[in-house]
Amino acid sequence: MVSASIFVFALIDDCFLLFLSVYYVIELSDLESDHINATTCCTRLNRWLLPETLAQLMTTMLLLLSFEWYFLIFTLPMTIFLIRRIITSRRGHLGYYDPAEIYNRGLLKSYIRESMAKMAYYLIGFFVFLFSMIMALVQSNNVENPAVPI
């Protein structure tokens, strides 16, 4: 039952991250079509950088502590990417998304591609954790109620 609860938490956390990546795509698309200005968009996106990283880190740490190695290998690259993104943010900028440079060097297009890739990653993770949760619940039910041979 413990592994089922781990997968339930991972599934809920992955849903949050999936909705957050959809929010990133919507905000960046609004900026691309000039529905909002760069300062507003970057402020809104930078506000969610740390919660996104902490949510991904919580799932990774939970999988590490529960010795779920295959799922840890699945979540570790995104965790490293998000932590590196926060650590390597440039000095003197408002955050990872900077309104003064978002239009320079095609950064806006790369941010949109990055958000789409994260959305695909979290969507795959959603189905992986959903399948794992169902399998863990079925296995725990079989252990608790073994079939009686006739």
Side-chain angles (χ1 to χ4, degrees):
M1 193 64 178
V2 173
S3 86
S5 61
I6 290 168
F7 291 127
V8 167
F9 176 78
L11 183 67
I12 292 170
D13 191 39
D14 199 70
C15 285
F16 167 72
L17 292 169
L18 180 62
F19 288 130
L20 194 57
S21 65
V22 170
Y23 175 73
Y24 281 168
V25 170
I26 291 171
E27 284 291 321
L28 290 169
S29 297
D30 284 349
L31 178 63
E32 185 180 36
S33 61
D34 286 334
H35 290 290
I36 57 175
N37 63 19
T39 305
T40 304
C41 178
C42 292
T43 303
R44 288 178 183 172
L45 295 178
N46 284 329
R47 181 181 312 142
W48 289 102
L49 284 177
L50 191 59
E52 177 187 17
T53 305
L54 291 177
Q56 181 70 30
L57 187 62
M58 281 189 332
T59 300
T60 304
M61 294 305 292
L62 186 65
L63 292 171
L64 176 67
L65 295 175
S66 64
F67 304 110
E68 298 288 346
W69 301 116
Y70 294 117
F71 299 104
L72 179 68
I73 290 170
F74 176 72
T75 60
L76 199 57
M78 183 60 76
T79 306
I80 292 170
F81 171 75
L82 293 174
I83 290 172
R84 186 183 67 62
R85 184 172 72 171
I86 288 180
I87 290 173
T88 61
S89 63
R90 297 176 296 260
R91 302 281 184 215
H93 292 251
L94 295 177
Y96 181 71
Y97 299 101
D98 187 43
E101 291 195 9
I102 197 159
Y103 290 114
N104 295 346
R105 297 174 301 189
L107 284 178
L108 182 58
K109 289 289 187 190
S110 68
Y111 290 153
I112 291 174
R113 279 194 306 268
E114 173 187 308
S115 297
M116 295 293 261
K118 285 193 310 185
M119 189 178 0
Y121 173 82
Y122 292 134
L123 188 62
I124 292 169
F126 173 79
F127 288 112
V128 166
F129 289 131
L130 180 66
F131 177 76
S132 302
M133 178 193 69
I134 291 170
M135 290 303 293
L137 288 173
V138 167
Q139 288 175 354
S140 69
N141 190 26
N142 287 341
V143 170
E144 292 172 3
N145 301 321
V148 178
I150 297 177

